[in-house]
Amino acid sequence: MEIFINVVLPIPLQKHFTYSVSEIEAARLNIGMRVAVPFGKSKLFTALVVKIHNDPPEVYEAKPIHDILDEHPIVTTIQLKHWQWIADYYMCTLGEVFRSAIPSALLLESESLILLNKDVVIDEDDLRDDEFLIYEALKQQNILRVDDIMEIVERKNILPILNGLIKTGAISIKEEIHERYKPKMVRYVRMGDKYNSEKELQELLNSLTRAPKQSQVVLSLFHLQATQKKPIKLSELEIDSRTSRAVIRALIKKEVLEEYFIQKDRVEFKSTKELVPPKTLNEYQVKALNDIKGYFQNDSVTLLKGVTSSGKTEVYVKLIANCLSENKQALYLVPEIAITTQLISRLQEYFGSAISVFHSKYNMQEKVEVWRNVLEDKPKAQLIIGARSALFLPFASLGLIIIDEEHETSFKQYDPAPRYHARDAAIVLGSFFKSNMLLGSATPSIESYHNAKTGKYGYTQIERRFGNVLMPDMELVDIKEQHRKKRMNGHFSERLIEEITETLDQGEQVILFQNRRGYAPILECTTCGHTPQCPNCDVSLTYHMHRKQLRCHYCGHHMALPDSCLACGSTTLDTKGFGTEQVEQELNTIFPSARVGRMDLDSTRGKHAYAKIIHAFENQEMDILVGTQMLTKGLDFRNVNLVGIMNADALLNFPDFRAHERTYQLLTQVAGRAGRTKKRGKVIIQTYNPYHQILKQVTTGDYEGMFREQLYEREQYKYPPVNRIIRLTFKHKEFNKLNEASAWFAKALRNRNEIIVLGPEFPPVARIRNQYLKHVLIKIPQGVSLKITKKNIKRIHNSFDAISQFKAVRIIYNVDHM
């Protein structure tokens, strides 16, 4: 009887593919294992087994698989179920979820090998110079890789040369799959088997009297073994014996020492001190904890609203400790990698080496190690801290999921697919495991708070800061008035400079928030008004002073700063607007003795850049830290007493229905970095419109008022949480074709009366990377089935694809658009 397997390929295809396997292979295979399969003309792909059966495919003949890549499944059945939910809900394919979820080192890729065709006789005089070089090299070596050929001909584009050689029959190409993950093997040494008794050791030392360095190595090994009671690394022995590696190698060669290897993880969180018990909670934290436990008994998703610095993390610690005591894994999701730096050191005090961390700054080898530790439920992977991608790990027994700062937009993935929201996907994952779910925030999202208000979620709050520290004193400064009275120094009001001076004099620290990186968003010629634009996108180039560059923040295009206007040749160039770099430069001028640091995407590109900046600021090696919204997300600095917001209006005047909600959240969060210990902090908000309702609500901490207003507006204009929304983005390089295609699709959608269709409309940035964009927004009222609506959209998409002129137009779905 023939046996077949259905597999998922890491490419955006809707259907599974069927391959044939032998009985021996079928006996080895399980669902969740990887296999290498041929796909297309010659490519090999890593595929994931999702079904083993006896039904041959009807449309095509099943090819045999190339190889089985795993001994055991690397993906669990619950994971596959969760991935399928993500694919269905967010309108993408299972292959896209698979590619996004698995560490890239586990997606083995095939490599093209170039072989000499010995059956064909070639006249070498007919070959061009480059072809002759490759042909000669293959005579010596038989097989060459693509990289080898690039080196031989000193060119990157080698495809035309290879095509010429294939046509003449001189070479053939073969695909070979290669493993990209290499375990880290640490070299250890021990005494050889011959020298186990004292007598043999004495004889050895006597024989080494003429080789004092070798004798020193043996004595050092004895000393280390006696003091450490653990395997001795070769590198340790080298340092302790003060000899070279060559001396140790000589002893290994003589079989006096024996060398062996132990596999080690690249990242390990070892506790250097004794573990400390969790802190004693105050009465407000205890009440919140008891409320949460009560809701957990009823399997309710619970929302914890706690003001900034109220000690939410200590409540989380108690819940994690309970979870780990039941031998279950806990997942702690944070919105930004920056937070993990502080969080890990705090949680290590309580949980020691039971912690694993997973986020995008890890390299692919480190990600594979965390993946395998979680899958095998190892002691070092009981508490997993991570950004949104940690959601895809193969949990064995997930007992608790905590989503900190649940309101953050960083939990939503925009590109590539799946465009999922980690908070919502985590709630579904928790339901599959029947695990406890806690959402925490000082400023919950309107959706989550609405769910709590309507009884869908459990709800509790902590209204006081830990240690009864007062909430920061907030002050609005009217910079329009300050400009009129000529009391501005650069972008700093007189009031903000006063407060910074006073704070620095008291030996305290300052945080300044400006949500735009670079020096200035616009460089303008004051003579002709020309502004350098990105050639690939519809945006002006941002001026970065430290690199003396103009850069596009969408496609990465950059150019050197011009000396004169590119249009009229005038040297009268001036900047408009300001970013973190300009704030930093102005601070150095106004406060020359202050130590100023900057934290934005430009200054945190390195793997450990976040940790270095946060560590330096914590240790008071900086007086003032300027940053973008990275600063707002749950960081805890004990000596910060002043927070300055450089320009609140840039947040408010954003073309998005969530702009007011986000402004409230962002300003409240950044204000919460001030005065977190004993002394009351101060917050200065610079604005051109101090009478704006949202700014008043921020200064009074009126979350309820903001929620009621925003909910009323969204009910009026049919936005979430009242309605569901799906945004369709149309992409094409031809302007007219895009207009036609999007108009056709929108018209087809409008035939369905139960949904509201807005657009097609160009977004604020209508061209990115030479592709024009157009949006269509679909509002789905309550009572209308989301599932049926998605099915209808897909049906229209199928008809759309059948129209030949629209085939090249790409459609991107964004369900629950943020």
Side-chain angles (χ1 to χ4, degrees):
M1 195 176 197
E2 285 187 295
I3 305 170
F4 300 94
I5 57 166
N6 282 9
V7 300
V8 177
L9 291 158
I11 45 180
L13 294 169
Q14 288 292 345
K15 293 184 177 178
H16 298 161
F17 276 81
T18 306
Y19 287 84
S20 64
V21 289
S22 66
E23 283 186 24
I24 298 164
E25 286 170 332
R28 281 178 60 198
L29 279 170
N30 272 312
I31 288 167
M33 284 168 71
R34 293 172 306 151
V35 288
V37 297
F39 187 76
K41 283 184 179 176
S42 60
K43 271 280 176 193
L44 288 174
F45 277 97
T46 304
L48 195 70
V49 179
V50 290
K51 191 180 176 186
I52 302 168
H53 59 92
N54 304 108
D55 307 320
E58 291 172 13
V59 185
Y60 55 91
E61 193 179 330
K63 292 179 185 175
I65 64 168
H66 181 270
D67 199 5
I68 297 173
L69 302 174
D70 297 311
E71 291 294 319
H72 308 284
I74 63 153
V75 171
T76 67
T77 48
I78 289 183
Q79 254 182 310
L80 283 170
K81 193 176 167 189
H82 187 231
W83 292 0
Q84 189 61 61
W85 178 86
I86 289 173
D88 293 343
Y89 187 82
Y90 292 103
M91 298 178 77
C92 62
T93 65
L94 190 57
E96 286 171 312
V97 183
F98 172 42
R99 184 160 199 102
S100 182
I102 289 256
S104 56
L106 293 175
L107 286 171
L108 310 186
E109 289 184 359
S110 67
E111 184 177 37
S112 299
L113 300 178
I114 290 85
L115 291 86
L116 187 67
N117 197 343
K118 291 178 180 174
D119 300 334
V120 178
V121 179
I122 298 293
D123 185 353
E124 293 179 7
D125 295 335
D126 294 342
L127 299 176
R128 295 202 307 272
D129 290 350
D130 286 343
E131 292 174 345
F132 178 74
L133 285 172
I134 296 168
Y135 190 67
E136 277 298 300
L138 281 167
K139 276 186 180 175
Q140 308 298 320
Q141 221 169 314
N142 283 342
I143 293 177
L144 287 174
R145 296 177 189 275
V146 171
D147 292 347
D148 302 332
I149 289 175
M150 283 180 184
E151 276 183 40
I152 291 164
V153 297
E154 294 179 356
R155 272 173 64 178
K156 280 196 174 176
N157 184 16
I158 58 165
L159 204 60
I161 309 168
L162 293 179
N163 284 339
L165 286 166
I166 290 166
K167 269 182 191 173
T168 59
I171 63 165
S172 59
I173 291 182
K174 177 187 162 193
E175 291 290 318
E176 183 192 67
I177 203 133
H178 61 102
E179 179 74 72
R180 292 161 73 194
Y181 169 67
K182 289 185 177 68
K184 183 186 176 186
M185 305 304 286
V186 180
R187 206 181 289 260
Y188 287 84
V189 283
R190 58 189 168 210
M191 288 303 296
D193 291 339
K194 294 180 191 171
Y195 305 100
N196 286 334
S197 69
E198 274 187 43
K199 185 186 170 190
E200 286 158 343
L201 280 171
Q202 196 57 52
E203 282 174 11
L204 170 66
L205 290 170
N206 291 339
S207 70
L208 293 176
T209 48
R210 288 189 178 181
K213 285 187 177 177
Q214 291 186 0
S215 178
Q216 180 60 39
V217 169
V218 174
L219 291 168
S220 291
L221 184 60
F222 281 137
H223 173 254
L224 288 169
Q225 281 175 333
T227 53
Q228 289 192 14
K229 308 283 185 199
K230 64 175 188 180
I232 311 300
K233 288 181 187 172
L234 190 140
S235 54
E236 275 181 76
L237 182 59
E238 192 181 345
I239 294 162
D240 195 76
S241 62
R242 293 180 188 157
T243 55
S244 69
R245 196 160 282 209
V247 178
I248 301 171
R249 290 238 172 278
L251 285 167
I252 292 168
K253 214 171 184 182
K254 286 182 184 178
E255 295 183 358
V256 171
L257 302 183
E258 189 186 321
E259 173 180 56
Y260 63 106
F261 294 87
I262 296 177
Q263 187 177 331
K264 288 273 183 184
D265 281 356
R266 286 165 172 83
V267 180
E268 287 186 321
F269 295 96
K270 286 180 180 168
S271 190
T272 47
K273 296 176 275 186
E274 257 187 65
L275 298 185
V276 295
K279 286 178 186 168
T280 307
L281 304 183
N282 63 27
E283 57 184 298
Y284 308 106
Q285 289 170 313
V286 169
K287 184 189 176 300
L289 181 65
N290 291 335
D291 287 350
I292 292 163
K293 285 179 176 175
Y295 287 121
F296 281 176
Q297 283 176 350
N298 300 325
D299 297 329
S300 293
V301 176
T302 306
L303 174 66
L304 168 61
K305 179 177 176 282
V307 295
T308 52
S309 195
S310 59
K312 293 188 290 293
T313 308
E314 296 306 323
V315 175
Y316 302 158
V317 165
K318 291 278 188 188
L319 292 166
I320 292 164
N322 286 353
C323 175
L324 299 193
S325 68
E326 293 168 4
N327 294 321
K328 289 190 172 179
Q329 293 167 315
L331 172 62
Y332 191 141
L333 287 182
V334 291
E336 193 76 64
I337 300 164
I339 307 176
T340 58
T341 308
Q342 274 194 330
L343 196 62
I344 293 157
S345 52
R346 271 180 83 176
L347 294 176
Q348 255 185 294
E349 292 176 11
Y350 304 131
F351 304 111
S353 57
I355 296 171
S356 280
V357 177
F358 192 85
H359 54 60
S360 61
K361 278 277 195 281
Y362 272 15
N363 66 38
M364 60 183 183
Q365 313 280 3
E366 291 163 348
K367 284 181 177 176
V368 171
E369 284 162 3
V370 177
W371 183 279
R372 290 195 166 147
N373 292 340
V374 172
L375 179 66
E376 291 162 25
D377 203 3
K378 286 192 176 171
K380 64 175 87 168
Q382 294 308 296
L383 168 57
I384 293 92
I385 305 164
R388 60 174 184 251
S389 55
L391 190 71
F392 292 118
L393 288 167
F395 298 100
S397 56
L398 192 57
L400 172 70
I401 301 175
I402 293 170
I403 301 171
D404 198 13
E405 310 295 349
E406 65 84 30
H407 65 277
E408 275 292 346
T409 52
S410 315
F411 281 126
K412 174 77 174 173
Q413 169 146 319
Y414 290 96
D415 268 316
R419 292 170 181 82
Y420 65 100
H421 196 297
R423 177 193 63 214
D424 302 339
I427 290 169
V428 174
L429 181 67
S431 71
F432 289 154
F433 276 100
K434 295 188 169 49
S435 49
N436 295 325
M437 279 290 318
L438 180 66
L439 315 178
S441 176
T443 52
S445 63
I446 301 280
E447 286 87 345
S448 295
Y449 197 63
H450 181 256
N451 284 337
K453 284 273 191 186
T454 53
K456 190 177 174 184
Y457 291 174
Y459 176 70
T460 186
Q461 59 184 0
I462 308 172
E463 291 178 304
R464 298 231 187 158
R465 281 185 149 191
F466 195 80
N468 287 327
V469 178
L470 288 169
M471 293 300 286
D473 174 25
M474 295 201 191
E475 187 181 324
L476 293 168
V477 174
D478 185 351
I479 48 177
K480 183 169 65 180
E481 189 67 14
Q482 294 268 308
H483 273 294
R484 193 178 65 78
K485 292 180 177 174
K486 296 191 167 48
R487 287 183 177 171
M488 294 291 287
N489 187 341
H491 294 96
F492 287 81
S493 61
E494 204 173 50
R495 189 77 192 87
L496 182 55
I497 290 171
E498 268 175 40
E499 285 294 338
I500 294 173
T501 308
E502 194 181 318
T503 306
L504 294 178
D505 289 345
Q506 289 170 355
E508 290 161 344
Q509 290 169 296
V510 180
I511 282 177
L512 293 176
F513 171 68
Q514 168 59 8
N515 206 20
R516 189 185 282 279
R517 64 189 171 102
Y519 184 84
I522 293 169
L523 184 77
E524 186 183 64
C525 171
T526 54
T527 306
C528 72
H530 172 73
T531 300
Q533 299 284 314
C534 173
N536 311 315
C537 312
D538 279 347
V539 286
S540 56
L541 294 172
T542 302
Y543 172 37
H544 285 252
M545 193 180 194
H546 75 292
R547 290 183 180 175
K548 291 194 168 41
Q549 264 183 359
L550 296 176
R551 289 188 79 87
C552 172
H553 288 174
Y554 286 89
C555 70
H557 171 82
H558 56 87
M559 60 184 277
L561 179 71
D563 297 325
S564 56
C565 174
L566 299 169
C568 71
S570 169
T571 54
T572 55
L573 298 173
D574 194 15
T575 58
K576 287 256 173 93
F578 66 106
T580 48
E581 268 188 43
Q582 197 168 18
V583 175
E584 184 184 21
Q585 190 201 39
E586 287 179 5
L587 281 168
N588 287 327
T589 309
I590 302 167
F591 303 100
S593 58
R595 295 161 301 172
V596 181
R598 180 163 53 87
M599 186 170 165
D600 56 25
L601 194 64
D602 298 314
S603 66
T604 56
R605 290 198 186 275
K607 185 174 179 178
H608 303 293
Y610 284 111
K612 282 177 187 168
I613 294 169
I614 290 167
H615 191 67
F617 196 60
E618 271 181 328
N619 293 346
Q620 295 175 36
E621 292 164 25
M622 294 178 200
D623 302 312
I624 306 173
L625 184 59
V626 183
T628 55
Q629 60 182 351
M630 286 178 184
L631 285 172
T632 67
K633 300 174 185 180
L635 294 168
D636 185 11
F637 299 117
R638 315 308 291 170
N639 197 42
V640 172
N641 208 48
L642 174 69
V643 167
I645 289 146
M646 300 302 296
N647 182 7
D649 308 293
L651 302 166
L652 283 165
N653 304 325
F654 200 73
D656 181 14
F657 73 93
R658 285 193 173 88
H660 287 185
E661 176 195 356
R662 284 194 185 144
T663 304
Y664 181 92
Q665 289 165 342
L666 210 51
L667 296 184
T668 305
Q669 289 287 344
V670 76
R673 302 312 112 214
R676 293 174 74 92
T677 41
K678 291 172 185 159
K679 192 177 166 189
R680 190 182 189 188
K682 180 92 182 169
V683 180
I684 302 282
I685 301 174
Q686 296 191 154
T687 172
Y688 285 95
N689 184 5
Y691 305 106
H692 197 290
Q693 185 67 8
I694 284 287
L695 297 181
K696 284 184 176 177
Q697 287 162 348
V698 169
T699 51
T700 55
D702 184 12
Y703 178 86
E704 282 287 339
M706 185 276 293
F707 172 76
R708 281 196 304 274
E709 272 182 25
Q710 290 303 305
L711 192 64
Y712 173 76
E713 277 191 20
R714 295 193 192 179
E715 280 169 350
Q716 296 302 304
Y717 297 107
K718 312 257 185 304
Y719 280 109
V722 186
N723 287 23
R724 312 301 286 268
I725 56 171
I726 299 173
R727 192 181 77 181
L728 274 62
T729 302
F730 296 83
K731 256 186 171 184
H732 197 262
K733 61 180 185 292
E734 286 179 37
F735 183 82
N736 292 334
K737 195 169 274 187
L738 179 77
N739 282 341
E740 277 177 51
S742 55
W744 185 96
F745 208 106
K747 190 180 175 185
L749 286 169
R750 286 195 176 93
N751 291 334
R752 313 214 60 84
N753 297 325
E754 69 274 13
I755 59 173
I756 302 159
V757 180
L758 301 181
E761 191 53 66
F762 287 107
V765 180
R767 183 174 60 106
I768 295 174
R769 294 187 179 91
N770 281 322
Q771 298 263 334
Y772 288 98
L773 308 175
K774 231 171 178 186
H775 292 330
V776 169
L777 196 70
I778 301 166
K779 296 180 183 178
I780 304 155
Q782 281 178 332
V784 175
S785 166
L786 185 65
K787 198 173 180 181
I788 291 168
T789 304
K790 285 177 188 171
K791 208 176 264 182
N792 291 332
I793 294 168
K794 285 286 187 186
R795 199 176 292 134
I796 294 167
H797 193 161
N798 291 338
S799 305
F800 178 86
D801 281 345
I803 301 167
S804 59
Q805 77 235 45
F806 297 157
K807 234 178 188 163
V809 178
R810 191 168 162 228
I811 303 175
I812 294 165
Y813 296 106
N814 193 334
V815 179
D816 297 340
H817 159 62
M818 292 288 283

